[in-house]
């Protein structure tokens, strides 16, 4: 099935957009470094729309718990998303057939992912290491 | 204590599919929210101080904190205003005394730990004591008026050692033995090979959190895939989780005042680093040396100790309240003796990763306590995957009401 959903120019790099196509569940389309993809717009973990998430290279982060999916395969790559299931096939297999073929993967270095994971980095200086008497240290 | 029936088990849905399993099996615990005042009320804490910590058996550490014959370690038990010196004599007998010189009340041993082959000597006037607490010498003794040296020994504290763990009880009128206190949990570990484990790492964290806030936050795995990066990293398969990615307890039981839960991952992924070690040393960590029912078991030894196993590692926690709003969290990591260099490197790596987890946990504990203090809500809510927290608080309630077995 081929459906035109809009001009490519309206989908700049990093953009995510929720679309509806008759007969299918709500979908998310996006542009990951020039690769256009389409997945079911639902995390396989919590009740969240992936279109409200964040694209880091080829990784699509769920807005709720930062589980993530590889947009090229639809496969979940980071918990709490369920790793053995993909986003697209979790509850419907129809959407996965709409995944655009991926271009040759390019290495992705993302600093945004770390920034998003935790705003208040804990301070390890608060942890005191106490000497022990283990034999291999004597 | 939960009783399990094999026939019933066979007919029930699996732990992965079964919803609200643990409240059904532990109906006596109820499902009500917990009141926040138990974490922040001075009155509540005072009751815990006088009715719980002053009366219960509490763990001070283990013989692994001692250097062997003629050695000692000291502990300040702030919650009870007590100072303790634990000694091991030449025959290996372990005793605990108030760390207070009989003469004028001076602190006797000042070091955290050490050896004392000759005697323990007070630095104020030189009164000297043997490891059994008896007086060895009193300088200028003729000028004193006590009738017998037998009257001026160190004041003993009720002490019992279980599997190398040193417990004391400050209630001189108490009649419960340590064995009775440990009950079914003690029996479960009766012949456990603790002697193959050595104490490799110790950490200590002072937190602004109620001691039960800290225990509760450790006493569940529901948070592991969520809290912070190292936790999420660890959650990549370390615990059982259902199809929605939520962690699951495989088993939970109340063992008298204590609790036990397990969670077994079927798809545990080694880290790249561990995998490299395994590839280089095929025998590494392959053998399960500890006879556990499940490779991950977590026990809360009432009131303030945790004993948990992860493969061949044992980690223990001791939570020492300083007051209602502050706690010292002691962490000890035990491993079998390393078989080779890779083994040694891997546990060094494991300990540092553990420390990073502790950093994240500490930040969480303090934030939770602040939230409780704000009294935004009068209650907190517990799910069925947090049933062990419910059981712990029931034990606290029971103990404060005098039900102590």
């Amino acid at each position: 099935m081929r459906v035109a959903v809009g001009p490519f120019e309206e989908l700049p790099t990093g953009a995510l957009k929720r679309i509806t196509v008759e007969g299918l569940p709500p979908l998310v389309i996006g542009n990951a470094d020039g690769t256009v993809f389409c997945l079911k717009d639902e995390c396989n973990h919590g009740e969240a729309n992936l279109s409200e998430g964040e694209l880091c290279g080829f990784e699509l982060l769920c807005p709720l718990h930062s589980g993530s999916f590889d947009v090229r395969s639809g496969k979940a790559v980071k918990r709490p998303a369920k790793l053995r299931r993909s986003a697209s096939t979790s509850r419907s297999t129809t959407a996965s057939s709409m995944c655009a073929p991926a271009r040759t993967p390019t290495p992705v270095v993302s600093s945004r992912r770390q920034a998003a994971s935790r705003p208040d980095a804990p301070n390890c200086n608060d942890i005191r290491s106490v000497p022990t008497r283990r034999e291999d240290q004597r | 204590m939960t009783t399990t029936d094999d026939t019933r088990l066979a007919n029930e849905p699996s732990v992965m599919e079964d919803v609200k399993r643990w409240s059904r099996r532990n109906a006596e615990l109820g499902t009500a929210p917990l009141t926040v005042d138990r974490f922040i009320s001075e009155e509540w804490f005072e009751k815990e101080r006088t009715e719980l910590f002053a009366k219960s058996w509490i763990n001070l550490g283990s013989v692994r904190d001692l250097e062997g014959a003629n050695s000692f370690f000291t502990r300040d038990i702030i919650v009870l205003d007590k100072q303790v010196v634990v000694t091991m004599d030449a025959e290996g007998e372990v005793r605990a005394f108030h760390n207070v010189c009989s003469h004028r009340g001076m602190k006797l041993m000042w070091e955290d730990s050490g050896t004392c082959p000759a005697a323990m000597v007070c630095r104020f006037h030189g009164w000297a004591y043997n490891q059994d607490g008896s007086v060895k010498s009193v300088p200028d003794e003729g000028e004193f008026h006590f009738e017998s040296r037998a009257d001026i020994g160190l004041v003993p504290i009720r002490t019992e050692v279980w599997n190398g763990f040193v417990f004391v009880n400050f209630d001189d009128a108490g009649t419960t033995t340590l064995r009775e206190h440990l009950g079914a949990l003690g029996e479960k570990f009766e012949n456990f090979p603790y002697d193959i484990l050595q104490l490799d790492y110790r950490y200590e964290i002072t937190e602004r959190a109620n001691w039960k806030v800290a225990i509760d936050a450790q006493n569940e795995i529901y948070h592991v895939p969520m809290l912070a990066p190292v936790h999420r990293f660890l959650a990549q398969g370390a615990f059982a989780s259902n199809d929605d990615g939520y962690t699951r307890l495989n088993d939970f039981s109340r063992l008298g005042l204590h609790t036990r839960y397990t969670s077994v991952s079927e798809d545990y992924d080694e880290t790249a680093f561990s995998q490299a070690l395994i590839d280089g040393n095929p025998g590494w960590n392959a053998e399960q040396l500890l006879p556990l029912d499940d490779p991950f078991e977590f026990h809360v030894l009432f009131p303030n100790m945790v004993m948990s196993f992860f493969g061949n590692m044992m980690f223990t926690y001791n939570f020492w309240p300083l007051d209602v709003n502050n706690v010292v969290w002691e962490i000890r990591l035990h491993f079998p003796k390393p078989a080779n260099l890779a083994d040694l490197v891997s546990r060094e790596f494991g300990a540092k990763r553990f420390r990073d987890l502790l950093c994240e946990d500490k930040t969480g504990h303090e934030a939770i306590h602040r939230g409780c203090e704000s009294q935004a809500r009068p209650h907190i809510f517990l799910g069925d995957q947090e049933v062990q927290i419910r059981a712990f608080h029931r034990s606290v309630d029971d103990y404060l009401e005098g039900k102590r077995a």
Side-chain angles (χ1 to χ4, degrees):
Chain A
M1 176 165 86
R2 276 174 182 273
V3 181
V5 294
F8 180 68
E9 292 69 36
E10 286 180 14
L11 205 63
T13 295
L16 293 168
K17 192 177 173 187
R18 183 182 171 100
I19 60 164
T20 48
V21 174
E22 206 186 321
L24 293 178
L27 305 171
V28 53
I29 56 171
N31 179 346
D33 287 348
T35 299
V36 177
F37 64 89
C38 176
L39 299 169
K40 187 178 168 186
D41 191 16
E42 186 184 44
C43 182
N44 69 14
H45 171 245
E47 289 170 24
N49 299 333
L50 294 175
S51 56
E52 293 161 21
E54 211 179 327
L55 253 183
C56 296
F58 290 114
E59 218 175 309
L60 174 53
L61 270 67
C62 173
L64 209 50
H65 299 124
S66 297
S68 69
F69 301 86
D70 188 321
V71 298
R72 293 164 296 184
S73 61
K75 280 185 76 170
V77 290
K78 194 156 292 142
R79 292 197 191 215
K82 189 60 188 166
L83 298 187
R84 286 180 173 177
R85 287 180 173 187
S86 64
S88 50
T89 58
S90 60
R91 283 164 192 123
S92 152
T93 51
T94 324
S96 65
S97 63
M98 293 183 65
C99 278
R103 294 192 312 180
T104 313
T106 48
V108 176
V109 181
S110 167
S111 57
R112 290 164 69 199
R113 203 172 80 201
Q114 280 203 327
S117 59
R118 192 172 177 88
D120 53 337
N123 183 1
C124 277
N125 294 334
D126 295 339
I127 312 248
R128 188 167 85 91
S129 190
V130 185
T132 59
R133 313 193 172 285
R134 68 187 217 208
E135 289 174 24
D136 48 64
Q137 283 187 332
R138 282 183 194 170
Chain B
M1 192 176 146
T2 309
T3 53
T4 49
D5 178 279
D6 285 341
T7 326
R8 193 189 66 182
L9 279 175
N11 295 330
E12 276 203 350
S14 79
V15 286
M16 293 301 160
E17 298 151 2
D18 198 11
V19 176
K20 299 192 177 103
R21 181 189 194 89
W22 307 113
S23 57
R24 275 204 312 282
R25 293 186 172 200
N26 300 271
E28 79 282 5
L29 293 175
T31 55
L34 287 186
T35 57
V36 164
D37 63 339
R38 64 176 58 232
F39 302 110
I40 58 173
S41 146
E42 294 277 0
E43 293 72 35
W44 190 292
F45 182 74
E46 183 57 19
K47 215 171 150 192
E48 287 173 346
R49 204 174 70 77
T50 56
E51 297 301 314
L52 204 171
F53 283 95
K55 296 196 170 161
S56 176
W57 284 98
I58 41 182
N59 171 257
L60 292 185
S62 79
V63 291
R64 295 165 196 83
D65 292 313
L66 291 161
E67 281 192 36
N70 297 316
S71 65
F72 71 94
F73 67 77
T74 60
R75 294 277 185 273
D76 280 359
I77 316 294
I78 307 284
V79 61
L80 296 174
D81 293 322
K82 304 293 186 197
Q83 305 167 87
V84 183
V85 56
V86 174
T87 66
M88 179 182 270
D89 68 15
E91 279 73 48
E93 170 116 14
V94 175
R95 299 179 180 86
F97 303 95
H98 290 271
N99 189 19
V100 176
C101 179
S102 298
H103 174 214
R104 296 264 298 277
M106 180 63 150
K107 179 176 186 167
L108 180 63
M109 303 308 286
W110 288 56
E111 298 83 0
D112 291 337
S113 65
T115 51
C116 48
M120 296 183 284
V121 182
C122 180
R123 61 181 67 200
F124 196 6
H125 301 96
W127 284 38
Y129 303 87
N130 297 305
Q131 278 88 33
D132 64 2
S134 60
V135 171
K136 185 166 186 176
S137 70
V138 174
D140 206 5
E141 189 170 352
E143 289 293 305
F144 281 89
H145 306 280
F146 50 78
E147 288 187 3
S148 160
R149 277 191 176 187
D151 300 334
I152 57 165
L154 293 178
V155 179
I157 301 164
R158 272 210 293 159
T159 313
E160 285 192 45
V161 179
W162 170 78
N163 281 320
F165 293 100
V166 181
F167 289 78
V168 292
N169 191 317
F170 288 95
D171 183 12
D172 294 331
T175 53
T176 308
T177 63
L178 175 62
R179 202 154 284 271
E180 287 165 349
H181 174 75
L182 293 174
L185 187 135
E187 286 164 29
K188 173 174 147 62
F189 287 102
E190 198 58 60
N191 295 307
F192 199 79
Y194 286 95
D195 51 339
I196 69 168
L197 296 167
Q198 57 179 20
L199 173 59
D200 284 336
Y201 302 94
R202 264 189 72 183
Y203 297 111
E204 212 173 87
I205 309 171
T206 304
E207 304 180 336
R208 193 181 178 286
N210 180 268
W211 68 283
K212 300 188 300 304
V213 164
I215 287 192
D216 289 355
Q218 296 312 113
N219 193 15
E220 44 99 348
I221 49 174
Y222 180 38
H223 73 282
V224 178
M226 307 279 173
L227 177 69
V230 186
H231 276 75
R232 284 202 287 274
F233 176 72
L234 179 73
Q236 311 273 349
F239 301 112
S241 49
N242 72 358
D243 280 352
D244 291 325
Y246 298 120
T247 55
R248 284 289 174 265
L249 307 184
N250 285 94
D251 197 11
F252 164 73
S253 50
R254 300 177 76 193
L255 305 166
L257 294 163
H258 323 284
T259 57
R260 166 186 181 268
Y261 74 86
T262 69
S263 182
V264 191
S265 171
E266 287 169 3
D267 57 354
Y268 181 72
D269 298 325
E270 293 288 350
T271 63
F273 186 90
S274 321
Q275 195 56 53
L277 287 164
I278 292 168
D279 292 345
N281 296 270
W284 178 70
N285 214 13
E287 194 186 351
Q288 179 62 38
L289 299 168
L290 300 174
L292 300 165
D293 298 333
D294 292 306
F296 176 68
E297 292 195 27
F298 193 100
H299 308 81
V300 174
L301 267 74
F302 186 86
N304 64 332
M305 184 188 183
V306 163
M307 189 172 74
S308 186
F309 300 92
F310 218 138
N312 287 325
M313 175 179 75
M314 173 175 79
F315 59 92
T316 59
Y317 298 152
N318 296 78
F319 296 89
W320 295 107
L322 302 176
D323 57 34
V324 63
N325 296 320
N326 291 280
V327 62
V328 173
W329 178 18
E330 290 178 4
I331 299 100
R332 290 177 175 81
L333 309 184
H334 307 74
F335 294 87
K337 282 180 189 160
N340 50 44
L341 188 59
D343 216 355
L344 195 61
V345 172
S346 72
R347 75 184 50 180
E348 195 75 34
F349 166 73
K352 295 303 176 285
R353 191 170 69 178
F354 206 103
R355 186 203 57 192
D356 292 348
L357 281 168
L358 299 173
C359 294
E360 295 180 344
D361 282 316
K362 174 205 191 268
T363 309
H365 298 171
E366 294 187 332
I368 297 161
H369 188 73
R370 283 219 171 276
C372 290
E373 276 183 307
S374 79
Q375 301 191 59
R377 276 186 180 278
H379 297 103
I380 57 165
F381 298 94
L382 295 173
D384 254 39
Q385 296 297 321
E386 298 165 306
V387 65
Q388 56 279 45
I389 297 176
R390 202 179 280 291
F392 169 69
H393 285 277
R394 176 59 62 87
S395 293
V396 172
D397 292 350
D398 284 352
Y399 206 91
L400 295 181
E401 283 165 23
K403 286 182 268 178
R404 289 172 188 177

